[in-house]
Amino acid sequence: MQTTIASTASFTGTGLHSGRPARLRVKPASAEYGIWFKRTDIDDGRDNLVPVHWASGVPSPLCTVIRNEAGVEVKTIEHIMAAIVGCGIHNALIELDGPEVPIMDGSAARFVDGLIKAGVRELAAPVRVIEILEPVEFCRGEGDEAAWARLEPSDGFEIDFHISFPDKAIGTQEMRLDMSNGNFVRELSDCRTFCRQADVEAMHKAGLALGGTYENAVVVDDDKVLSPGGLRRADEAVRHKMLDALGDLALAGAPLKARYVGHRAGHAITNELLRKLFDTPGAWRVVTCDAQAARRLPGVGVRRSDLPMSA
């Protein structure tokens, strides 16, 4: 059955790119509501509700941005959305008092912890999933510089990701993970966003990453990890890219029965992939999810004890 959060979960922190304090509350919602953000700071008569939907996505390379028809935006939603999907929540209203979701520690672990504490409640409506019937791919660039993402048919939901960076602290990494049985919480939720030291100054000059610190991002410089404590996992970078992909795919509007494959892909490419999917007749269909199929989706049976010790 569809679910919602059982009680309100509240989070406070700082926006990664804006550097502004941010307060967020995830509240229960009815069946068929979906996931919506509400900008509580907007009081000028504009519509302050923004749907988590691929058509609301604004292609952005550094974070996931959604915008409604009134021009109201919410930025950096990927980590809270990964947590919501990873905890198996289908309906919620997310209130936010500014333009950007707080970055917390750079991962989804604190969001997951708060959502699990708040609990999950079943609703009187069946889950419907988007089943991929044939491969759909979006690619940008050519040759060694190509970045692409693809959705393929699958019996459940899997993510397969490959990255390659010149910095030796990251290098080439790849991982494939079945997202059922709480695997998101155990294997990905504590993996933090990362960047290269060479990019930090450029982002600051562009007015970005103003709230970034060594405490909420993994910063690398060739073979050195500059953040205190080093890496949580040797392949933390590719795991975080998988976390991002899960959050970005939440814009599909329903759970996916699919295998997602990403090669050097980012937020904008995943949004373009969703746009191409829904513009491709015959590549997908919506089906009601039975109990057996539901066990293959993220979030089923998630427990607080699944959170890694590093969280």
Side-chain angles (χ1 to χ4, degrees):
M1 306 300 288
Q2 291 181 30
T3 65
T4 188
I5 193 167
S7 59
T8 298
S10 300
F11 306 92
T12 58
T14 302
L16 174 62
H17 294 295
S18 67
R20 294 172 51 177
R23 182 182 299 272
L24 179 149
R25 297 196 301 170
V26 183
K27 304 178 72 173
S30 59
E32 313 293 358
Y33 184 82
I35 310 292
W36 290 71
F37 278 85
K38 181 179 181 180
R39 285 278 303 275
T40 59
D41 61 316
I42 300 293
D43 58 2
D44 58 5
R46 287 182 295 165
D47 180 7
N48 64 355
L49 286 168
V50 188
V52 176
H53 190 269
W54 58 270
S56 301
V58 181
S60 173
L62 297 178
C63 64
T64 303
V65 181
I66 53 176
R67 179 191 299 151
N68 67 13
E69 293 183 356
V72 174
E73 286 188 347
V74 182
K75 301 179 180 180
T76 322
I77 70 169
E78 57 269 22
H79 300 170
I80 182 63
M81 289 312 307
I84 285 173
V85 173
C87 289
I89 296 170
H90 307 116
N91 304 282
L93 173 64
I94 306 173
E95 293 183 343
L96 181 65
D97 67 352
E100 188 174 20
V101 171
I103 189 61
M104 312 308 281
D105 72 342
S107 76
R110 294 183 188 175
F111 290 131
V112 168
D113 188 42
L115 295 176
I116 292 175
K117 285 179 182 176
V120 177
R121 176 168 58 89
E122 282 195 350
L123 300 169
V127 174
R128 285 179 289 277
V129 302
I130 298 167
E131 181 181 10
I132 303 303
L133 303 176
E134 60 183 49
V136 175
E137 179 175 302
F138 180 84
C139 182
R140 180 174 292 155
E142 298 179 352
D144 293 340
E145 299 301 315
W148 53 266
R150 182 171 63 241
L151 285 166
E152 304 173 347
S154 173
D155 290 334
F157 181 54
E158 306 170 81
I159 295 180
D160 187 342
F161 219 106
H162 178 276
I163 62 173
S164 183
F165 286 83
D167 297 77
K168 294 178 183 177
I170 301 176
T172 298
Q173 299 179 14
E174 58 184 320
M175 185 177 182
R176 181 173 180 175
L177 187 66
D178 182 327
M179 301 301 292
S180 63
N181 299 318
N183 278 338
F184 165 75
V185 175
R186 284 190 296 272
E187 302 294 338
L188 304 181
S189 66
D190 66 331
C191 296
R192 299 161 293 174
T193 191
F194 63 95
C195 64
R196 304 167 62 202
Q197 178 66 26
D199 297 331
V200 172
E201 290 186 7
M203 286 192 290
H204 285 172
K205 288 180 180 179
L208 299 171
L210 300 180
T213 71
Y214 289 139
E215 303 297 331
N216 59 30
V218 177
V219 182
V220 302
D221 185 10
D222 193 21
D223 61 344
K224 300 180 182 65
V225 178
L226 304 182
S227 299
L231 297 172
R232 291 178 175 174
R233 304 171 188 258
D235 58 352
E236 186 171 2
V238 72
R239 289 172 184 256
H240 183 79
K241 295 290 283 187
M242 297 168 76
L243 182 159
D244 278 349
L246 182 66
D248 292 342
L249 290 169
L251 274 67
L256 289 166
K257 185 179 179 182
R259 177 183 178 221
Y260 170 92
V261 185
H263 175 75
R264 303 177 68 240
H267 307 294
I269 285 178
T270 301
N271 184 255
E272 294 287 3
L273 174 64
L274 288 177
R275 290 174 181 272
K276 185 172 180 179
L277 171 69
F278 293 113
D279 196 37
T280 306
W284 59 281
R285 65 176 179 177
V286 176
V287 296
T288 300
C289 190
D290 61 25
Q292 182 176 358
R295 286 193 290 269
R296 300 295 306 276
L297 299 177
V300 177
V302 166
R303 299 162 299 180
R304 196 176 176 208
S305 59
D306 290 331
L307 275 165
M309 292 298 293
S310 57

